[in-house]
Amino acid sequence: MQTNTLTTKRTLDTRALVNLAVLSALAFLSVFIFRIPVVSFLKYEPKDVFIVLAGFLYGPTATVLMSVVVSVVEMFTISSTGIIGCVMNIISTVAFAGTASLIYHKHRTLTSAIVGLLIGVFLTTGVMLLWNYLITPLYMGYPREAVKAMLVPVFLPYNLIKYGLNMAIVLLLYKPFMLLLRQLHLLPSTEETAESKNKVFFLWIVGGFLFITCVYFILVLQGVL
């Protein structure tokens, strides 16, 4: 009996490592491939989406580890902002993904997921306004007064849109992602009920509405609309 328990534990640990490795690779690739201009010099990339998914699966500790690993790899490969940019990436990702996964893991419900993501959006927006004010002059070379003048018209809408998009994409991808992991036998299979199908439909409605809203504001900020 003890041998079977140890074997099961090792299998679960291996699955977790594989899942985290895949999600880390996807997070890095998303930065490398998708960089969408939002406002001024600021761009959006969906890295945090994959880190949130990992956090929902394995808890906030996974988000911290992934954010550090992905940010460090990014710093040594495709980033031009050095150690300061790396630190800013870690802070923003942990604030958003860590908050969302921490709240979700206290009560694993749809409501907790949405509340956690919403709190993550607003908390990270506030945190990054402070850090943008403190750090941006150091690595962008802007005078602090110029950065202060950019907080409301530039950094505030950028962070709300960025993390709003992250929330929308997490809601849209969570169920298909879980289904994929089960088909690959990286997660145990579960029976889908009518109630769970209704929850998925609700997630897609909320996620789709939020996604369209964020894209609309990006187009407005770029002067397209």
Side-chain angles (χ1 to χ4, degrees), residues 130-186:
L130 173 62
W131 282 95
N132 284 134
Y133 175 73
L134 295 174
I135 302 298
T136 299
L138 300 180
Y139 74 94
M140 293 299 296
Y142 292 175
R144 193 168 298 280
E145 286 303 313
V147 173
K148 182 178 179 180
M150 295 170 65
L151 290 179
V152 173
V154 176
F155 289 111
L156 178 61
Y158 166 74
N159 283 297
L160 285 174
I161 290 171
K162 176 180 179 179
Y163 297 106
L165 267 177
N166 284 340
M167 175 178 175
I169 297 172
V170 168
L171 294 178
L172 291 170
L173 290 185
Y174 183 72
K175 185 61 178 182
F177 173 73
M178 297 292 286
L179 179 61
L180 175 62
L181 290 182
R182 290 189 176 102
Q183 289 177 342
L184 295 174
H185 304 293
L186 295 174

CSV table of all heavy atoms in Angstrom, one decimal, residues 130-186:
chain,number,residue,atom,x,y,z
A,130,LEU,N,2.5,52.9,-8.8
A,130,LEU,CA,3.6,53.3,-7.8
A,130,LEU,C,5.0,52.9,-8.4
A,130,LEU,O,5.9,53.8,-8.4
A,130,LEU,CB,3.3,52.6,-6.5
A,130,LEU,CG,4.5,52.7,-5.5
A,130,LEU,CD1,4.6,54.2,-5.1
A,130,LEU,CD2,4.2,51.9,-4.2
A,131,TRP,N,5.1,51.7,-8.9
A,131,TRP,CA,6.4,51.2,-9.3
A,131,TRP,C,6.8,51.9,-10.6
A,131,TRP,O,8.0,52.2,-10.9
A,131,TRP,CB,6.5,49.7,-9.5
A,131,TRP,CG,6.6,49.0,-8.2
A,131,TRP,CD1,5.7,48.6,-7.4
A,131,TRP,CD2,7.9,48.8,-7.5
A,131,TRP,NE1,6.2,48.0,-6.2
A,131,TRP,CE2,7.5,48.2,-6.2
A,131,TRP,CE3,9.2,49.1,-7.7
A,131,TRP,CZ2,8.5,47.9,-5.3
A,131,TRP,CZ3,10.2,48.8,-6.8
A,131,TRP,CH2,9.8,48.2,-5.6
A,132,ASN,N,5.9,52.2,-11.5
A,132,ASN,CA,6.2,53.0,-12.7
A,132,ASN,C,6.7,54.4,-12.3
A,132,ASN,O,7.7,54.9,-12.9
A,132,ASN,CB,5.0,53.2,-13.6
A,132,ASN,CG,4.6,51.9,-14.4
A,132,ASN,OD1,3.5,51.5,-14.4
A,132,ASN,ND2,5.7,51.3,-15.0
A,133,TYR,N,6.1,55.0,-11.3
A,133,TYR,CA,6.6,56.3,-10.8
A,133,TYR,C,8.0,56.3,-10.3
A,133,TYR,O,8.8,57.1,-10.5
A,133,TYR,CB,5.6,56.9,-9.8
A,133,TYR,CG,6.1,58.2,-9.2
A,133,TYR,CD1,6.0,59.4,-9.9
A,133,TYR,CD2,6.6,58.2,-7.9
A,133,TYR,CE1,6.4,60.6,-9.3
A,133,TYR,CE2,7.0,59.4,-7.3
A,133,TYR,CZ,6.9,60.6,-8.0
A,133,TYR,OH,7.4,61.8,-7.5
A,134,LEU,N,8.3,55.2,-9.5
A,134,LEU,CA,9.6,55.1,-8.9
A,134,LEU,C,10.7,54.6,-9.8
A,134,LEU,O,11.8,55.1,-9.8
A,134,LEU,CB,9.5,54.1,-7.7
A,134,LEU,CG,8.6,54.5,-6.5
A,134,LEU,CD1,8.5,53.3,-5.5
A,134,LEU,CD2,9.1,55.7,-5.9
A,135,ILE,N,10.4,53.6,-10.7
A,135,ILE,CA,11.4,52.9,-11.5
A,135,ILE,C,11.5,53.4,-12.9
A,135,ILE,O,12.6,53.4,-13.4
A,135,ILE,CB,11.1,51.4,-11.4
A,135,ILE,CG1,11.1,50.9,-10.0
A,135,ILE,CG2,12.1,50.6,-12.2
A,135,ILE,CD1,12.4,51.1,-9.3
A,136,THR,N,10.4,53.8,-13.6
A,136,THR,CA,10.5,54.1,-15.0
A,136,THR,C,11.6,55.2,-15.3
A,136,THR,O,12.3,55.0,-16.3
A,136,THR,CB,9.1,54.6,-15.5
A,136,THR,OG1,8.2,53.5,-15.3
A,136,THR,CG2,9.2,55.0,-17.0
A,137,PRO,N,11.7,56.2,-14.5
A,137,PRO,CA,12.8,57.2,-14.8
A,137,PRO,C,14.2,56.6,-14.8
A,137,PRO,O,15.1,57.1,-15.5
A,137,PRO,CB,12.7,58.2,-13.6
A,137,PRO,CG,11.3,58.1,-13.2
A,137,PRO,CD,10.9,56.6,-13.3
A,138,LEU,N,14.4,55.5,-14.1
A,138,LEU,CA,15.7,54.9,-14.0
A,138,LEU,C,16.1,54.1,-15.3
A,138,LEU,O,17.3,54.2,-15.7
A,138,LEU,CB,15.8,53.9,-12.8
A,138,LEU,CG,15.5,54.5,-11.4
A,138,LEU,CD1,15.6,53.4,-10.4
A,138,LEU,CD2,16.5,55.6,-11.1
A,139,TYR,N,15.2,53.5,-15.9
A,139,TYR,CA,15.5,52.7,-17.1
A,139,TYR,C,15.0,53.3,-18.4
A,139,TYR,O,15.5,52.8,-19.5
A,139,TYR,CB,15.1,51.2,-16.9
A,139,TYR,CG,13.7,50.9,-17.1
A,139,TYR,CD1,13.2,50.5,-18.3
A,139,TYR,CD2,12.8,50.9,-16.0
A,139,TYR,CE1,11.8,50.2,-18.5
A,139,TYR,CE2,11.5,50.6,-16.1
A,139,TYR,CZ,11.0,50.2,-17.4
A,139,TYR,OH,9.7,49.9,-17.5
A,140,MET,N,14.1,54.2,-18.4
A,140,MET,CA,13.7,54.9,-19.6
A,140,MET,C,14.4,56.2,-19.8
A,140,MET,O,14.3,56.8,-20.9
A,140,MET,CB,12.2,55.1,-19.6
A,140,MET,CG,11.4,53.8,-19.6
A,140,MET,SD,11.7,52.8,-21.1
A,140,MET,CE,11.0,54.0,-22.4
A,141,GLY,N,15.0,56.8,-18.7
A,141,GLY,CA,15.7,58.1,-18.9
A,141,GLY,C,14.8,59.3,-18.9
A,141,GLY,O,15.2,60.4,-19.2
A,142,TYR,N,13.5,59.0,-18.5
A,142,TYR,CA,12.5,60.2,-18.4
A,142,TYR,C,12.7,60.9,-17.1
A,142,TYR,O,13.0,60.3,-16.1
A,142,TYR,CB,11.1,59.7,-18.5
A,142,TYR,CG,10.7,59.1,-19.9
A,142,TYR,CD1,9.5,58.5,-20.0
A,142,TYR,CD2,11.6,59.1,-21.0
A,142,TYR,CE1,9.1,57.9,-21.2
A,142,TYR,CE2,11.2,58.5,-22.2
A,142,TYR,CZ,10.0,58.0,-22.3
A,142,TYR,OH,9.6,57.4,-23.5
A,143,PRO,N,12.5,62.2,-17.1
A,143,PRO,CA,12.5,63.0,-15.8
A,143,PRO,C,11.3,62.5,-15.0
A,143,PRO,O,10.3,62.1,-15.5
A,143,PRO,CB,12.3,64.4,-16.3
A,143,PRO,CG,12.7,64.5,-17.7
A,143,PRO,CD,12.4,63.1,-18.3
A,144,ARG,N,11.4,62.5,-13.7
A,144,ARG,CA,10.4,62.0,-12.8
A,144,ARG,C,9.1,62.8,-13.0
A,144,ARG,O,8.0,62.2,-12.9
A,144,ARG,CB,10.8,62.0,-11.4
A,144,ARG,CG,9.9,61.2,-10.5
A,144,ARG,CD,10.5,61.0,-9.1
A,144,ARG,NE,11.7,60.3,-9.1
A,144,ARG,CZ,11.8,58.9,-9.2
A,144,ARG,NH1,10.7,58.2,-9.3
A,144,ARG,NH2,13.0,58.3,-9.3
A,145,GLU,N,9.2,64.1,-13.2
A,145,GLU,CA,8.0,64.9,-13.4
A,145,GLU,C,7.2,64.5,-14.7
A,145,GLU,O,6.0,64.5,-14.8
A,145,GLU,CB,8.3,66.4,-13.5
A,145,GLU,CG,8.7,67.0,-12.1
A,145,GLU,CD,7.6,66.8,-11.1
A,145,GLU,OE1,6.4,67.1,-11.4
A,145,GLU,OE2,7.9,66.3,-10.0
A,146,ALA,N,8.0,64.1,-15.7
A,146,ALA,CA,7.4,63.6,-17.0
A,146,ALA,C,6.7,62.3,-16.7
A,146,ALA,O,5.6,62.1,-17.3
A,146,ALA,CB,8.4,63.5,-18.0
A,147,VAL,N,7.3,61.4,-15.9
A,147,VAL,CA,6.6,60.1,-15.6
A,147,VAL,C,5.4,60.4,-14.8
A,147,VAL,O,4.3,59.7,-15.0
A,147,VAL,CB,7.6,59.2,-14.9
A,147,VAL,CG1,6.9,57.9,-14.4
A,147,VAL,CG2,8.8,58.8,-15.8
A,148,LYS,N,5.5,61.3,-13.8
A,148,LYS,CA,4.3,61.6,-13.0
A,148,LYS,C,3.1,62.1,-13.9
A,148,LYS,O,2.0,61.8,-13.6
A,148,LYS,CB,4.7,62.7,-12.0
A,148,LYS,CG,3.6,63.1,-11.1
A,148,LYS,CD,4.0,64.1,-10.0
A,148,LYS,CE,2.9,64.5,-9.1
A,148,LYS,NZ,3.3,65.6,-8.1
A,149,ALA,N,3.4,62.9,-14.9
A,149,ALA,CA,2.4,63.4,-15.8
A,149,ALA,C,1.8,62.3,-16.7
A,149,ALA,O,0.7,62.5,-17.2
A,149,ALA,CB,3.0,64.5,-16.7
A,150,MET,N,2.5,61.2,-16.8
A,150,MET,CA,2.0,60.1,-17.6
A,150,MET,C,1.2,59.1,-16.8
A,150,MET,O,0.6,58.2,-17.4
A,150,MET,CB,3.2,59.3,-18.3
A,150,MET,CG,4.0,60.2,-19.2
A,150,MET,SD,5.6,59.3,-19.7
A,150,MET,CE,4.9,57.9,-20.6
A,151,LEU,N,1.2,59.2,-15.5
A,151,LEU,CA,0.5,58.1,-14.7
A,151,LEU,C,-0.9,57.9,-15.1
A,151,LEU,O,-1.4,56.8,-15.3
A,151,LEU,CB,0.7,58.5,-13.2
A,151,LEU,CG,2.1,58.4,-12.6
A,151,LEU,CD1,2.1,58.7,-11.1
A,151,LEU,CD2,2.6,56.9,-12.8
A,152,VAL,N,-1.7,59.0,-15.1
A,152,VAL,CA,-3.1,58.9,-15.4
A,152,VAL,C,-3.5,58.7,-16.8
A,152,VAL,O,-4.2,57.7,-17.2
A,152,VAL,CB,-3.9,60.1,-14.8
A,152,VAL,CG1,-5.4,60.0,-15.2
A,152,VAL,CG2,-3.8,60.1,-13.2
A,153,PRO,N,-2.9,59.5,-17.7
A,153,PRO,CA,-3.3,59.3,-19.2
A,153,PRO,C,-2.6,58.1,-19.9
A,153,PRO,O,-3.1,57.7,-20.9
A,153,PRO,CB,-2.8,60.6,-19.8
A,153,PRO,CG,-1.7,61.1,-19.0
A,153,PRO,CD,-2.0,60.7,-17.6
A,154,VAL,N,-1.5,57.6,-19.3
A,154,VAL,CA,-0.8,56.5,-20.0
A,154,VAL,C,-0.8,55.2,-19.2
A,154,VAL,O,-1.3,54.2,-19.6
A,154,VAL,CB,0.6,57.0,-20.4
A,154,VAL,CG1,1.4,55.8,-21.0
A,154,VAL,CG2,0.6,58.2,-21.3
A,155,PHE,N,-0.2,55.3,-18.0
A,155,PHE,CA,0.1,54.0,-17.3
A,155,PHE,C,-1.3,53.5,-16.7
A,155,PHE,O,-1.4,52.2,-16.7
A,155,PHE,CB,1.0,54.3,-16.1
A,155,PHE,CG,2.5,54.5,-16.6
A,155,PHE,CD1,3.1,55.7,-16.5
A,155,PHE,CD2,3.2,53.4,-17.2
A,155,PHE,CE1,4.4,55.9,-17.0
A,155,PHE,CE2,4.5,53.6,-17.6
A,155,PHE,CZ,5.1,54.9,-17.5
A,156,LEU,N,-2.2,54.3,-16.3
A,156,LEU,CA,-3.4,53.8,-15.7
A,156,LEU,C,-4.2,53.1,-16.7
A,156,LEU,O,-4.6,51.9,-16.5
A,156,LEU,CB,-4.2,55.0,-15.1
A,156,LEU,CG,-5.6,54.6,-14.6
A,156,LEU,CD1,-5.5,53.6,-13.4
A,156,LEU,CD2,-6.4,55.9,-14.1
A,157,PRO,N,-4.6,53.6,-17.9
A,157,PRO,CA,-5.3,52.9,-18.9
A,157,PRO,C,-4.6,51.6,-19.4
A,157,PRO,O,-5.2,50.6,-19.7
A,157,PRO,CB,-5.6,53.9,-20.0
A,157,PRO,CG,-4.6,54.9,-19.9
A,157,PRO,CD,-4.3,55.0,-18.4
A,158,TYR,N,-3.3,51.8,-19.5
A,158,TYR,CA,-2.5,50.6,-20.0
A,158,TYR,C,-2.6,49.4,-19.1
A,158,TYR,O,-2.9,48.3,-19.5
A,158,TYR,CB,-1.0,51.0,-20.1
A,158,TYR,CG,-0.1,49.8,-20.3
A,158,TYR,CD1,0.0,49.1,-21.5
A,158,TYR,CD2,0.7,49.4,-19.3
A,158,TYR,CE1,0.8,48.0,-21.7
A,158,TYR,CE2,1.5,48.3,-19.4
A,158,TYR,CZ,1.6,47.6,-20.6
A,158,TYR,OH,2.4,46.5,-20.7
A,159,ASN,N,-2.4,49.7,-17.8
A,159,ASN,CA,-2.5,48.6,-16.8
A,159,ASN,C,-3.9,48.0,-16.7
A,159,ASN,O,-4.1,46.8,-16.6
A,159,ASN,CB,-2.0,49.0,-15.5
A,159,ASN,CG,-0.5,49.1,-15.4
A,159,ASN,OD1,0.2,48.1,-15.6
A,159,ASN,ND2,0.0,50.3,-15.2
A,160,LEU,N,-4.9,48.8,-16.7
A,160,LEU,CA,-6.3,48.3,-16.7
A,160,LEU,C,-6.6,47.5,-17.9
A,160,LEU,O,-7.2,46.4,-17.8
A,160,LEU,CB,-7.3,49.5,-16.6
A,160,LEU,CG,-7.4,50.2,-15.3
A,160,LEU,CD1,-8.3,51.4,-15.4
A,160,LEU,CD2,-7.9,49.3,-14.2
A,161,ILE,N,-6.1,47.9,-19.1
A,161,ILE,CA,-6.4,47.2,-20.3
A,161,ILE,C,-5.6,45.9,-20.3
A,161,ILE,O,-6.1,44.8,-20.6
A,161,ILE,CB,-6.1,48.0,-21.5
A,161,ILE,CG1,-7.1,49.1,-21.7
A,161,ILE,CG2,-6.0,47.1,-22.8
A,161,ILE,CD1,-6.8,50.1,-22.7
A,162,LYS,N,-4.3,46.0,-19.9
A,162,LYS,CA,-3.4,44.8,-19.9
A,162,LYS,C,-4.0,43.7,-19.0
A,162,LYS,O,-4.1,42.5,-19.5
A,162,LYS,CB,-2.0,45.2,-19.5
A,162,LYS,CG,-1.1,44.0,-19.3
A,162,LYS,CD,0.3,44.4,-18.9
A,162,LYS,CE,1.2,43.2,-18.7
A,162,LYS,NZ,2.6,43.6,-18.3
A,163,TYR,N,-4.3,44.0,-17.8
A,163,TYR,CA,-4.8,43.0,-16.9
A,163,TYR,C,-6.2,42.6,-17.1
A,163,TYR,O,-6.6,41.5,-16.8
A,163,TYR,CB,-4.4,43.4,-15.4
A,163,TYR,CG,-2.9,43.5,-15.3
A,163,TYR,CD1,-2.3,44.8,-15.2
A,163,TYR,CD2,-2.1,42.4,-15.3
A,163,TYR,CE1,-1.0,44.9,-15.1
A,163,TYR,CE2,-0.8,42.5,-15.2
A,163,TYR,CZ,-0.2,43.8,-15.1
A,163,TYR,OH,1.2,43.9,-15.0
A,164,GLY,N,-7.0,43.5,-17.7
A,164,GLY,CA,-8.3,43.2,-18.1
A,164,GLY,C,-8.3,42.2,-19.2
A,164,GLY,O,-9.1,41.2,-19.2
A,165,LEU,N,-7.4,42.4,-20.1
A,165,LEU,CA,-7.2,41.4,-21.2
A,165,LEU,C,-6.8,40.0,-20.7
A,165,LEU,O,-7.2,39.0,-21.1
A,165,LEU,CB,-6.2,41.9,-22.3
A,165,LEU,CG,-6.8,42.6,-23.4
A,165,LEU,CD1,-5.6,43.1,-24.3
A,165,LEU,CD2,-7.8,41.8,-24.3
A,166,ASN,N,-5.8,40.1,-19.7
A,166,ASN,CA,-5.4,38.8,-19.1
A,166,ASN,C,-6.5,38.1,-18.5
A,166,ASN,O,-6.6,36.9,-18.6
A,166,ASN,CB,-4.3,39.1,-18.1
A,166,ASN,CG,-2.9,39.5,-18.7
A,166,ASN,OD1,-2.7,39.2,-19.8
A,166,ASN,ND2,-2.1,40.2,-17.9
A,167,MET,N,-7.3,38.8,-17.7
A,167,MET,CA,-8.5,38.2,-17.1
A,167,MET,C,-9.4,37.6,-18.1
A,167,MET,O,-9.9,36.5,-18.0
A,167,MET,CB,-9.2,39.2,-16.2
A,167,MET,CG,-10.5,38.7,-15.6
A,167,MET,SD,-11.4,39.9,-14.6
A,167,MET,CE,-12.9,39.0,-14.2
A,168,ALA,N,-9.7,38.3,-19.2
A,168,ALA,CA,-10.6,37.8,-20.2
A,168,ALA,C,-10.1,36.6,-20.9
A,168,ALA,O,-10.8,35.6,-21.0
A,168,ALA,CB,-10.8,38.9,-21.3
A,169,ILE,N,-8.8,36.5,-21.2
A,169,ILE,CA,-8.2,35.4,-21.9
A,169,ILE,C,-8.2,34.2,-20.9
A,169,ILE,O,-8.4,33.0,-21.4
A,169,ILE,CB,-6.8,35.7,-22.4
A,169,ILE,CG1,-7.0,36.8,-23.5
A,169,ILE,CG2,-6.2,34.5,-23.1
A,169,ILE,CD1,-5.6,37.3,-24.0
A,170,VAL,N,-7.9,34.4,-19.6
A,170,VAL,CA,-7.9,33.3,-18.7
A,170,VAL,C,-9.3,32.7,-18.6
A,170,VAL,O,-9.5,31.4,-18.7
A,170,VAL,CB,-7.5,33.8,-17.3
A,170,VAL,CG1,-7.8,32.7,-16.2
A,170,VAL,CG2,-6.0,34.1,-17.2
A,171,LEU,N,-10.4,33.5,-18.6
A,171,LEU,CA,-11.7,33.0,-18.5
A,171,LEU,C,-12.1,32.2,-19.8
A,171,LEU,O,-12.8,31.2,-19.7
A,171,LEU,CB,-12.7,34.2,-18.3
A,171,LEU,CG,-12.6,34.9,-17.0
A,171,LEU,CD1,-13.6,36.1,-17.0
A,171,LEU,CD2,-12.9,34.0,-15.8
A,172,LEU,N,-11.6,32.7,-20.9
A,172,LEU,CA,-11.9,32.0,-22.2
A,172,LEU,C,-11.1,30.7,-22.4
A,172,LEU,O,-11.6,29.7,-23.0
A,172,LEU,CB,-11.6,32.9,-23.4
A,172,LEU,CG,-12.5,34.2,-23.5
A,172,LEU,CD1,-11.9,35.1,-24.6
A,172,LEU,CD2,-13.9,33.7,-23.9
A,173,LEU,N,-9.9,30.6,-21.8
A,173,LEU,CA,-9.0,29.5,-22.1
A,173,LEU,C,-9.0,28.4,-21.0
A,173,LEU,O,-8.6,27.3,-21.2
A,173,LEU,CB,-7.6,30.0,-22.3
A,173,LEU,CG,-7.2,30.7,-23.5
A,173,LEU,CD1,-5.7,31.0,-23.6
A,173,LEU,CD2,-7.7,29.9,-24.8
A,174,TYR,N,-9.5,28.8,-19.8
A,174,TYR,CA,-9.4,27.9,-18.7
A,174,TYR,C,-10.0,26.5,-18.9
A,174,TYR,O,-9.3,25.5,-18.8
A,174,TYR,CB,-10.0,28.5,-17.4
A,174,TYR,CG,-9.8,27.6,-16.2
A,174,TYR,CD1,-8.5,27.5,-15.6
A,174,TYR,CD2,-10.8,26.9,-15.6
A,174,TYR,CE1,-8.3,26.7,-14.5
A,174,TYR,CE2,-10.6,26.0,-14.5
A,174,TYR,CZ,-9.4,26.0,-14.0
A,174,TYR,OH,-9.2,25.1,-12.9
A,175,LYS,N,-11.2,26.4,-19.4
A,175,LYS,CA,-11.9,25.1,-19.6
A,175,LYS,C,-11.2,24.4,-20.7
A,175,LYS,O,-10.9,23.2,-20.6
A,175,LYS,CB,-13.4,25.4,-19.8
A,175,LYS,CG,-14.1,24.0,-20.0
A,175,LYS,CD,-14.1,23.2,-18.7
A,175,LYS,CE,-14.9,22.0,-18.8
A,175,LYS,NZ,-14.8,21.2,-17.5
A,176,PRO,N,-11.0,25.0,-21.9
A,176,PRO,CA,-10.3,24.2,-23.0
A,176,PRO,C,-8.9,23.7,-22.6
A,176,PRO,O,-8.5,22.6,-23.0
A,176,PRO,CB,-10.2,25.3,-24.1
A,176,PRO,CG,-11.3,26.2,-23.9
A,176,PRO,CD,-11.4,26.3,-22.4
A,177,PHE,N,-8.2,24.6,-21.8
A,177,PHE,CA,-6.9,24.1,-21.3
A,177,PHE,C,-7.0,22.9,-20.4
A,177,PHE,O,-6.2,22.0,-20.5
A,177,PHE,CB,-6.2,25.3,-20.6
A,177,PHE,CG,-4.9,25.0,-19.9
A,177,PHE,CD1,-3.8,24.7,-20.7
A,177,PHE,CD2,-4.8,24.8,-18.6
A,177,PHE,CE1,-2.6,24.4,-20.1
A,177,PHE,CE2,-3.6,24.5,-18.0
A,177,PHE,CZ,-2.5,24.3,-18.7
A,178,MET,N,-7.9,22.9,-19.5
A,178,MET,CA,-8.1,21.8,-18.6
A,178,MET,C,-8.5,20.5,-19.4
A,178,MET,O,-8.0,19.5,-19.1
A,178,MET,CB,-9.2,22.1,-17.5
A,178,MET,CG,-8.8,23.3,-16.6
A,178,MET,SD,-7.5,22.9,-15.5
A,178,MET,CE,-8.3,21.8,-14.3
A,179,LEU,N,-9.3,20.7,-20.4
A,179,LEU,CA,-9.7,19.6,-21.2
A,179,LEU,C,-8.5,19.0,-22.0
A,179,LEU,O,-8.4,17.8,-22.0
A,179,LEU,CB,-10.8,20.0,-22.2
A,179,LEU,CG,-11.3,19.0,-23.2
A,179,LEU,CD1,-12.0,17.8,-22.4
A,179,LEU,CD2,-12.3,19.6,-24.2
A,180,LEU,N,-7.7,19.9,-22.5
A,180,LEU,CA,-6.5,19.4,-23.2
A,180,LEU,C,-5.6,18.6,-22.2
A,180,LEU,O,-5.0,17.6,-22.6
A,180,LEU,CB,-5.7,20.6,-23.7
A,180,LEU,CG,-4.4,20.3,-24.4
A,180,LEU,CD1,-4.6,19.4,-25.6
A,180,LEU,CD2,-3.7,21.6,-24.8
A,181,LEU,N,-5.4,19.1,-21.0
A,181,LEU,CA,-4.5,18.4,-20.1
A,181,LEU,C,-5.1,17.0,-19.7
A,181,LEU,O,-4.3,16.1,-19.6
A,181,LEU,CB,-4.3,19.2,-18.8
A,181,LEU,CG,-3.5,20.5,-18.9
A,181,LEU,CD1,-3.4,21.2,-17.5
A,181,LEU,CD2,-2.1,20.2,-19.4
A,182,ARG,N,-6.4,16.9,-19.7
A,182,ARG,CA,-7.0,15.6,-19.4
A,182,ARG,C,-6.9,14.7,-20.6
A,182,ARG,O,-6.6,13.5,-20.4
A,182,ARG,CB,-8.5,15.8,-19.0
A,182,ARG,CG,-8.7,16.5,-17.6
A,182,ARG,CD,-10.1,16.5,-17.2
A,182,ARG,NE,-10.2,17.1,-15.8
A,182,ARG,CZ,-10.6,18.3,-15.6
A,182,ARG,NH1,-11.0,19.1,-16.6
A,182,ARG,NH2,-10.7,18.7,-14.3
A,183,GLN,N,-7.0,15.2,-21.8
A,183,GLN,CA,-6.8,14.4,-22.9
A,183,GLN,C,-5.4,13.9,-23.1
A,183,GLN,O,-5.1,12.8,-23.6
A,183,GLN,CB,-7.2,15.2,-24.2
A,183,GLN,CG,-8.7,15.4,-24.3
A,183,GLN,CD,-9.1,16.3,-25.5
A,183,GLN,OE1,-8.3,17.0,-26.1
A,183,GLN,NE2,-10.4,16.2,-25.9
A,184,LEU,N,-4.4,14.7,-22.6
A,184,LEU,CA,-3.0,14.3,-22.6
A,184,LEU,C,-2.6,13.4,-21.4
A,184,LEU,O,-1.5,13.1,-21.2
A,184,LEU,CB,-2.1,15.5,-22.7
A,184,LEU,CG,-2.2,16.4,-24.0
A,184,LEU,CD1,-1.4,17.6,-23.8
A,184,LEU,CD2,-1.8,15.6,-25.2
A,185,HIS,N,-3.6,13.2,-20.5
A,185,HIS,CA,-3.5,12.4,-19.3
A,185,HIS,C,-2.5,13.0,-18.4
A,185,HIS,O,-1.8,12.4,-17.6
A,185,HIS,CB,-3.0,11.0,-19.7
A,185,HIS,CG,-3.8,10.2,-20.6
A,185,HIS,ND1,-5.1,9.8,-20.3
A,185,HIS,CD2,-3.7,9.9,-21.9
A,185,HIS,CE1,-5.7,9.2,-21.3
A,185,HIS,NE2,-4.8,9.2,-22.3
A,186,LEU,N,-2.5,14.4,-18.4
A,186,LEU,CA,-1.7,15.1,-17.4
A,186,LEU,C,-2.5,15.6,-16.2
A,186,LEU,O,-2.0,16.1,-15.2
A,186,LEU,CB,-1.0,16.3,-18.1
A,186,LEU,CG,0.0,16.0,-19.2
A,186,LEU,CD1,0.5,17.3,-19.9
A,186,LEU,CD2,1.2,15.3,-18.6
